[in-house]
Amino acid sequence: MKKVFIPMLCVCIFSTASVPAQSILDQAKKTAGTVQNPLANYGGVASSILSKLTPALGLTAAQQPKVTDLVTGFLKQKAGIMPLQQSNPAAYASKFSGLQGGLFSRLKLLLTAAQYTKFLGLKPKANDAGNVLSQLFY
């Protein structure tokens, strides 16, 4: 009887102890997944950015879809390098600078000189999560 009872008791104890530990690990994975990719909704963020840029720059109907495509592509690429921001800040800064330079050069070709100057003037003074335009500059 003792030979059966002790192993059964051990199995019960270990199985109940592993369930909370597993649920804690699952919660950590879910939280990490949401924190790592704040740009998961490219279209929504791009729409928010365009809703600020259109009146500020006076974008034409022909310019709007092109700017949307450029911004969406930039946000997708930025999301791909976001893990580097924590693990290797120097590599992130270098890659972000390249991505941003590419976006700005394409915008410079698409926008008029006056629109592009206004665009550069929209840069927030600091990286502000409340200002969606920060996604383009920081």
Side-chain angles (χ1 to χ4, degrees), residues 29-128:
K29 286 179 186 176
K30 287 178 186 175
T31 303
T34 57
V35 170
Q36 287 178 356
N37 198 356
L39 301 174
N41 182 8
Y42 312 115
V45 175
S47 295
S48 297
I49 290 172
L50 197 67
S51 70
K52 287 203 173 212
L53 292 180
T54 299
L57 304 179
L59 295 177
T60 66
Q63 288 174 319
Q64 290 178 14
K66 293 176 184 177
V67 171
T68 301
D69 290 344
L70 289 176
V71 169
T72 302
F74 171 77
L75 293 174
K76 285 180 182 179
Q77 292 175 332
K78 182 179 175 185
I81 65 168
M82 286 297 284
L84 290 175
Q85 193 172 25
Q86 298 297 322
S87 64
N88 190 346
Y92 172 79
S94 174
K95 290 184 182 206
F96 179 76
S97 177
L99 291 177
Q100 187 183 50
L103 171 68
F104 285 12
S105 67
R106 289 185 199 104
L107 284 173
K108 192 172 189 176
L109 295 174
L110 180 63
L111 302 174
T112 66
Q115 286 174 321
Y116 186 72
T117 302
K118 284 182 187 178
F119 169 72
L120 294 178
L122 295 173
K123 181 180 180 178
K125 293 184 190 278
N127 190 2
D128 178 14

